Amino acid sequence: VMAGSTGGTIMGVGRYLKSKRANCEIVLSDPEKSNLMGLWEKDREISSPDCGEERLQKVKESTAAEGGVQLEGAGKGSLTAIMRSGVGALETVDACVPVNDFDAFDECRALAKTGVMCGGSSGLNICAARVIAERCADLGPQEGGYTITTILCDHGIKYMSKIYNDKWMQENDTRRK
């Protein structure tokens, strides 16, 4: 489970893991107001409700009403060059999990209380990993169990005036508006 920005990490890690275990699933954790999940769905021609073009339209409306992605270092409005290439970053992705920016920030703040200070991309990854864990629990036991792996890819020191600032969180939290 990992976020995508330029696409290099998810592509490289995804390729490596799949070379070692072909049935490994690579999951993109994506901010709700990012277009990556919608573009991935559109590319895969997923046609269920709220997917692809419908998701992209909702992201556009939400962004117009509330502003863009608050989480730095993850999510995009369009595909990067590496994502558009014939063997692009999103080719390795098997599923996507949308996460609200402020849910990710709350995860960062909770983790900081244990002594681990991480940034928003890490909080995003943890939130998405929790969603995957819940899905696995719903599926029930599986021989060999489940292994869910993510990375804490950024330090929280850069976000003292944002994620770790109570006033900023209260003023900017779109979940409370």
Side-chain angles (χ1 to χ4, degrees):
V1 178
M2 68 189 83
S5 180
T6 62
T9 301
I10 196 164
M11 181 177 71
V13 171
R15 283 182 182 170
Y16 177 79
L17 291 174
K18 285 182 179 280
S19 77
K20 298 298 178 189
R21 181 173 283 176
N23 65 345
C24 172
E25 292 185 24
I26 305 302
V27 179
L28 171 70
S29 56
D30 200 36
E32 287 177 335
K33 293 180 187 174
S34 166
N35 282 329
L36 293 182
M37 183 172 177
L39 294 167
W40 176 83
E41 291 167 337
K42 187 177 170 186
D43 184 59
R44 298 280 187 298
E45 298 179 359
I46 298 172
S47 59
S48 56
D50 296 327
C51 287
E53 286 295 340
E54 287 184 41
R55 183 177 311 277
L56 293 171
Q57 183 58 37
K58 285 184 179 183
V59 166
K60 184 177 179 180
E61 292 167 4
S62 175
T63 300
E66 301 171 354
V69 174
Q70 291 289 328
L71 197 148
E72 298 170 39
K76 292 285 181 198
S78 60
L79 298 177
T80 63
I82 196 169
M83 292 176 187
R84 288 190 306 267
S85 68
V87 289
L90 297 183
E91 293 293 319
T92 62
V93 173
D94 298 298
C96 298
V97 174
V99 176
N100 180 282
D101 294 355
F102 290 89
D103 290 341
F105 296 159
D106 286 347
E107 196 67 54
C108 294
R109 293 165 67 99
L111 198 56
K113 291 177 183 174
T114 71
V116 178
M117 187 175 213
C118 63
S121 296
S122 297
L124 182 76
N125 289 344
I126 295 168
C127 284
R130 286 184 190 276
V131 169
I132 297 301
E134 290 169 6
R135 290 179 186 170
C136 292
D138 290 344
L139 292 172
Q142 169 182 300
E143 186 176 331
Y146 297 96
T147 300
I148 301 167
T149 305
T150 191
I151 56 175
L152 303 184
C153 49
D154 53 349
H155 194 283
I157 197 73
K158 301 179 290 185
Y159 306 102
M160 295 303 293
S161 63
K162 193 172 180 178
I163 297 171
Y164 296 101
N165 181 306
D166 292 337
K167 182 178 180 194
W168 184 90
M169 288 287 289
Q170 290 169 353
E171 290 174 353
N172 292 281
D173 191 342
T174 54
R175 298 172 301 183
R176 297 185 178 104
K177 292 182 180 180

